[in-house]
């Protein structure tokens, strides 16, 4: 893998981590500020947060694998 491709993967991991962090903050805010009244929002926000964290983990694993193969 070329250095440019690795940099692109690193950038994707950073973006995915930012999205996951933002989703986690939204979930945290719901739990802290709106529950139990807004319990109906919980499944949707939790699903979004899970998907964002999974996307980050997949990107991170892909980057780690690429880095190992490059060494």
């Amino acid at each position: 893998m070329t250095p440019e491709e690795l940099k692109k993967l690193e950038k994707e991991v950073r973006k995915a981590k930012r999205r996951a962090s933002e989703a986690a903050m939204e979930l945290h805010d719901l739990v802290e500020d709106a529950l139990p009244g807004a319990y109906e929002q919980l499944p949707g926000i939790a699903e979004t947060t899970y998907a964002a964290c999974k996307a980050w983990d997949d990107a991170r694993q892909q980057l780690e694998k690429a880095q190992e193969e490059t060494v």
Side-chain angles (χ1 to χ4, degrees):
M1 184 165 277
T2 68
E4 293 81 22
E5 291 171 323
L6 279 175
K7 285 185 180 187
K8 183 179 178 183
L9 281 176
E10 289 170 352
K11 186 176 181 179
E12 289 176 19
V13 169
R14 285 193 304 272
K15 283 183 181 181
K17 186 175 183 180
R18 180 185 48 79
R19 286 187 212 111
S21 294
E22 289 172 359
M25 286 191 308
E26 185 177 352
L27 180 60
H28 175 268
D29 289 346
L30 175 68
V31 169
E32 191 171 88
D33 300 333
L35 288 181
Y39 72 93
E40 291 176 340
Q41 295 176 21
L42 190 55
I45 294 174
E47 186 176 311
T48 299
T49 302
Y50 177 86
C53 291
K54 176 84 170 97
W56 165 77
D57 190 43
D58 291 346
R60 181 190 57 78
Q61 288 180 28
Q62 184 180 8
L63 174 61
E64 286 179 3
K65 183 178 177 182
Q67 288 171 332
E68 288 173 3
E69 291 173 356
T70 304
V71 174

